[in-house]
Amino acid sequence: MDMGNLLDEDQEVQSPYFRSYKSCKIEYITICNEPDCEWKLRASRNKKSSVFIVRKFNNVHTCKVGERMADKRQATYDLVGNFIKDKYSNFKTRGLDLTKGHPTDSYQLLPSYLHALKTTNRGSVAELERREDRFVYVFISLNASIRGWGYCKPIIVVDGTFLKAAYGGTLLTAASQDAANKIFPLAFCVVDSENDASWEWFFNKLRETFGVREGMCIISDRHDSISKEIEKVFPEAHHGICTYHLFKNVKAR
């Protein structure tokens, strides 16, 4: 990994699970946020190049899962921007230009974008819902996610979050957990807000794309529309409440 231009000497990487112990132009060490945990990664510069090589990596956490799930500081947008900015500095990369400009012009580009996505990622699902030639919903699931679903646990976690960009709206997401207990993204959808109609449309697209597996469970927060539409679209699946969201509600109230 090329970290030479990404990490300044005193720059600290924050995550819910780990933090920087040492970060300089020669060596990078990150450890678990919890004291006495043995999770650790150490990387150092490969001779005079800007490429860092992982020298030691202990991927086993000896701390409790509950401690790692607690609220912790997240990576800032400045830090994330420093990691990805070089990908958009090349003159050949025109994708950002398509996301700027008048909203009407941007929405008119959606059909072409979805067609290009399905052409370059064959097997992917990308569907656009319009009413009276106006944008309503868009659903995207890449082929890699669709193929990988069969190797994941029969669990789907869904959630929604506000989009703070100029155009507003809500992002609905669905993810699973792979055999290594890592988050495996399945699909995402942009809608107007979290309501009965938007969740029903999203769940219908999930069912069409991923089907239903034996013993399948859908996990979410306590949003009324989610419970109602799961019962309608996925009557075979068990609906569970996310303990993290439940814990935060109990703690707050």
Side-chain angles (χ1 to χ4, degrees), residues 48-67:
K48 295 183 178 181
S49 70
S50 62
V51 176
F52 275 56
I53 297 178
V54 175
R55 307 290 184 180
K56 183 178 180 180
F57 182 39
N58 182 0
N59 195 30
V60 178
H61 281 277
T62 55
C63 58
K64 296 180 180 179
V65 175
E67 294 173 341

Side-chain angles (χ1 to χ4, degrees), residues 27-206:
E27 186 177 36
Y28 175 70
I29 301 175
T30 183
I31 60 176
C32 179
N33 272 320
E34 299 304 322
D36 303 322
C37 180
E38 297 180 0
W39 189 96
K40 183 177 181 181
L41 181 145
R42 176 182 174 273
S44 61
R45 185 188 292 272
N46 182 22
K47 298 180 180 179
K48 295 183 178 181
S49 70
S50 62
V51 176
F52 275 56
I53 297 178
V54 175
R55 307 290 184 180
K56 183 178 180 180
F57 182 39
N58 182 0
N59 195 30
V60 178
H61 281 277
T62 55
C63 58
K64 296 180 180 179
V65 175
E67 294 173 341
R68 280 182 273 133
M69 288 182 61
D71 288 333
K72 299 188 185 297
R73 182 180 171 192
Q74 303 293 318
T76 65
Y77 64 84
D78 288 331
L79 177 61
V80 175
N82 285 332
F83 274 87
I84 68 172
K85 64 181 181 181
D86 291 339
K87 296 183 179 180
Y88 298 100
S89 61
N90 193 308
F91 72 95
K92 295 181 181 179
T93 306
R94 307 291 184 183
L96 282 181
D97 295 336
L98 300 180
T99 65
K100 299 178 180 179
H102 193 275
T104 302
D105 297 334
S106 297
Y107 286 126
Q108 288 176 348
L109 294 170
L110 268 175
S112 299
Y113 169 75
L114 298 180
H115 174 74
L117 187 149
K118 291 189 290 186
T119 301
T120 56
N121 297 269
R122 295 193 179 278
S124 299
V125 175
E127 296 193 18
L128 178 66
E129 176 79 4
R130 291 183 293 188
R131 294 172 190 167
E132 298 179 355
D133 206 31
R134 294 178 63 87
F135 169 82
V136 181
Y137 309 133
V138 63
F139 174 91
I140 295 177
S141 179
L142 298 179
N143 181 46
S145 297
I146 299 172
R147 294 174 58 189
W149 162 239
Y151 301 94
C152 293
K153 300 175 183 179
I155 298 172
I156 296 180
V157 181
V158 297
D159 201 3
T161 184
F162 297 108
L163 293 174
K164 297 182 179 180
Y167 309 148
T170 299
L171 177 69
L172 306 183
T173 63
S176 185
Q177 194 176 51
D178 62 20
N181 295 326
K182 305 298 183 182
I183 296 175
F184 187 83
L186 296 177
F188 65 91
C189 178
V190 177
V191 298
D192 53 348
S193 64
E194 288 192 76
N195 53 55
D196 292 356
S198 62
W199 275 113
E200 180 180 6
W201 193 83
F202 183 50
F203 284 135
N204 276 320
K205 295 306 173 185
L206 283 178

Side-chain angles (χ1 to χ4, degrees), residues 201-219:
W201 193 83
F202 183 50
F203 284 135
N204 276 320
K205 295 306 173 185
L206 283 178
R207 186 178 182 112
E208 293 171 8
T209 304
F210 297 97
V212 180
R213 290 171 55 184
E214 183 178 356
M216 194 170 84
C217 178
I218 301 177
I219 306 295

